[in-house]
């Protein structure tokens, strides 16, 4: 009997240990509209979004207390309905919702749960979804541009190489400090926006982007991304930034880049560039001041920030990437 009890205890201990090695995915309805859409299913028993979020928060804490690695995925009701229709599943079951949730991290927005409160987790997840959608749209645009009629070179790939080169020059010129870069480019359906925060100087972790198709390693939007810069940065953010900038270069559209540098003991420095015929042209001090001190929606002047120095964009040098431009 004692031997049996010992065996059962050992089995339970092994199962608990194994449970900690099996990741979990929690689907999250981040906003009220998506939550309301799911209420049409009888088996979805929640009726209050705030209460639902508190339940999700409690579930995440419980899983974390058991040592379970948990990923939180953005649950999209429209994609769920399409998935069920394509798979022949009944959408009004917990099993179908579980199957759909399990596949989201491979194709949708998801973040690791590290103990962050639900009030921080929700906007973080939404931001991740927006960034992913921007990257996917930019990648699609680059893939669809085609080849140069004069030289036959893939325009999207050449633009990605050029954008990678420009990012490296931006970070080299920015020097030490914390850098916050924003790239804005108008596209056919929406305004593309990418943000990159870096710490410099430092050393990039990976190699320079090599040949590849859009969305593949080394290609436009590939996971290797732009690297080798004299700064430390998140590779996915850098890839998104370069992809958006590459769209502006490939389409020769308007747009621009702004750079804000913070160093201890010094005022923040603001620089700016405009996209012009696929190149970044430095803005003057007056243009940078005007851009930051004008309300974009009304055109009315806005008071300049205290402790901020408005600076001209610095020269990024010639295009030595061998592109067709």
């Amino acid at each position: 009997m004692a031997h049996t009890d010992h065996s059962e205890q050992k089995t339970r201990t092994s199962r608990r240990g194994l449970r900690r090695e099996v990741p979990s995915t929690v689907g999250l309805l981040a906003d009220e509209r998506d939550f309301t859409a799911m209420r049409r299913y009888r088996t979805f028993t929640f009726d209050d979004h705030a209460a639902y979020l508190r339940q999700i928060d409690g579930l995440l804490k419980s899983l974390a207390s058991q040592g379970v690695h948990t990923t939180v995925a953005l649950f999209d009701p429209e994609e769920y309905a399409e998935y069920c229709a394509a798979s022949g599943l009944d959408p009004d079951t917990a099993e179908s919702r579980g199957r759909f949730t399990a596949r989201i991290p491979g194709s949708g927005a998801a973040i690791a749960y590290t103990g962050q409160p639900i009030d921080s987790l929700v906007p973080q997840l939404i931001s991740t979804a927006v960034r992913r959608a921007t990257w996917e749209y930019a990648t699609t645009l680059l893939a669809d541009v085609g080849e140069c009629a004069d030289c036959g070179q893939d325009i999207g790939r050449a633009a990605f190489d050029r954008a990678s080169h420009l990012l490296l020059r931006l970070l080299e010129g920015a020097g030490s400090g914390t850098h916050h870069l924003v790239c804005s480019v108008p596209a056919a359906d929406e305004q593309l926006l990418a943000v990159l925060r870096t710490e410099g100087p430092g050393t990039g972790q990976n190699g320079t982007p090599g040949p590849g198709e859009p969305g593949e390693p080394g290609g436009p939007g590939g996971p290797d991304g732009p690297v080798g810069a004299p700064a430390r940065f998140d590779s996915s953010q850098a890839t998104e930034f370069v992809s958006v900038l590459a769209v502006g270069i490939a389409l020769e559209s308007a747009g621009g880049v702004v750079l804000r540098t913070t160093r201890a003991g010094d005022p923040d420095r603001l620089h700016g560039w405009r996209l012009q015929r696929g190149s970044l042209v430095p803005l003057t001090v007056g243009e940078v001041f005007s851009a930051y001190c004008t309300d974009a929606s009304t055109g009315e002047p806005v008071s300049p920030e205290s402790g901020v120095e408005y600076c001209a964009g610095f020269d990024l040098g010639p295009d030595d990437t061998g592109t067709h431009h």
Side-chain angles (χ1 to χ4, degrees):
M1 183 70 175
H3 176 72
T4 301
D5 291 343
H6 176 72
S7 297
E8 291 178 352
Q9 182 179 2
K10 184 177 180 180
T11 298
R12 288 194 297 268
T13 301
S14 298
R15 286 175 178 171
R16 284 196 296 268
L18 185 61
R19 179 72 182 92
R20 288 193 291 269
E21 297 185 24
V22 178
S24 178
T25 302
V26 174
L28 176 64
L29 296 159
D31 61 37
E32 191 80 40
R33 185 183 64 179
D34 287 346
F35 178 82
T36 300
M38 290 301 294
R39 289 191 61 197
R40 69 178 181 266
Y41 300 120
R42 179 185 55 81
T43 56
F44 185 79
T45 57
F46 295 96
D47 57 12
D48 180 80
H49 189 231
Y52 161 82
L53 291 177
R54 289 194 295 271
Q55 291 287 339
I56 291 289
D57 191 38
L59 173 62
L60 292 172
K61 290 177 180 177
S62 175
L63 291 170
S65 70
Q66 301 171 44
V68 177
H69 174 76
T70 305
T71 297
V72 183
L74 188 67
F75 194 104
D76 186 313
E78 291 185 7
E79 291 184 2
Y80 171 64
E82 293 172 359
Y83 166 77
C84 289
S87 305
L89 298 174
D90 179 2
D92 200 358
T93 68
E95 180 182 3
S96 295
R97 291 193 291 273
R99 287 189 179 188
F100 176 75
T101 298
R103 64 183 290 279
I104 299 177
S107 59
I111 58 175
Y113 176 69
T114 57
Q116 59 268 54
I118 197 72
D119 290 345
S120 299
L121 189 148
V122 169
Q124 184 181 356
L125 186 58
I126 292 174
S127 175
T128 300
V130 171
R131 286 175 46 205
R132 183 180 182 91
T134 298
W135 169 76
E136 290 177 347
Y137 182 52
T139 301
T140 299
L141 289 176
L142 290 175
D144 290 345
V145 174
E147 297 180 347
C148 176
D150 295 327
C151 67
Q153 189 171 10
D154 184 289
I155 296 175
R157 184 181 303 173
F160 189 85
D161 290 343
R162 172 64 175 155
S164 298
H165 168 78
L166 288 172
L167 174 58
L168 299 186
R169 296 305 301 269
L170 283 165
L171 296 179
E172 289 169 358
S176 62
T178 299
H179 311 300
H180 187 85
L181 296 102
V182 178
C183 180
S184 178
V185 172
D189 300 323
E190 60 183 286
Q191 185 80 14
L192 297 181
L193 188 72
V195 177
L196 174 63
R197 184 180 182 277
T198 77
E199 299 284 347
T203 303
Q205 297 294 316
N206 306 314
T208 303
E213 295 302 319
E216 293 182 349
D224 292 337
V227 286
R232 298 183 301 276
F233 48 71
D234 179 270
S235 61
S236 63
Q237 284 189 10
T239 299
E240 292 156 10
F241 184 93
V242 167
S243 297
V244 170
L245 179 56
V247 168
I249 293 172
L251 301 182
E252 296 191 350
S253 67
V257 171
V258 292
L259 164 67
R260 183 174 188 136
T261 296
T262 302
R263 298 188 184 97
D266 293 330
D268 282 9
R269 295 173 61 87
L270 298 176
H271 302 268
W273 294 261
R274 74 165 61 89
L275 264 172
Q276 182 174 307
R277 296 187 60 81
S279 297
L280 285 178
V281 178
L283 297 178
T284 66
V285 174
E287 289 172 327
V288 173
F289 182 88
S290 177
Y292 274 93
C293 298
T294 302
D295 187 293
S297 59
T298 65
E300 295 295 320
V302 177
S303 298
E305 290 186 60
S306 61
V308 171
E309 184 177 349
Y310 298 89
C311 309
F314 44 82
D315 182 46
L316 300 178
D319 182 357
D320 56 4
T321 58
T323 68
H324 71 289
H325 289 293

